[in-house]
Amino acid sequence: NAARALAPQGICVNTLAPGATLTPMIAEHWKDEARRTRVESMSALQRTAQPIEMAAAIAFLLSPRASAITGSTLVADNGLAMY
């Protein structure tokens, strides 16, 4: 596991699991309003995330504020998969 292997060097390894995010990849699918509504209604926040929100999550994981987080996955999916 990369997090365990790199921890002795002070390197944290994490991942981001994004939900539906308004990118060019999804834009074509979102032209179908029924599809968009169906997918968005599955999440607690009932919306599509903006790319800047995913960037902010990554920036947090890269920041000193996340220095105690390693080997984790940050789920940023508007509450689709709640644990």
Side-chain angles (χ1 to χ4, degrees):
N1 155 316
R4 191 173 304 281
L6 295 170
Q9 293 143 11
I11 299 171
C12 296
V13 178
N14 297 292
T15 58
L16 177 70
T21 304
L22 194 55
T23 64
M25 184 176 81
I26 201 172
E28 186 65 31
H29 298 288
W30 263 206
K31 289 180 182 177
D32 178 344
E33 192 62 36
R35 176 184 285 177
R36 180 177 184 157
T37 300
R38 185 175 66 251
V39 172
E40 288 180 337
S41 71
M42 290 189 251
S43 72
L45 297 178
Q46 299 192 0
R47 66 182 188 86
T48 301
Q50 296 297 314
I52 192 72
E53 294 173 292
M54 296 304 118
I58 294 166
F60 166 71
L61 288 173
L62 293 170
S63 77
R65 294 176 301 167
S67 62
I69 302 171
T70 194
S72 297
T73 298
L74 175 58
V75 180
D77 67 357
N78 290 310
L80 179 64
M82 292 189 276
Y83 301 99

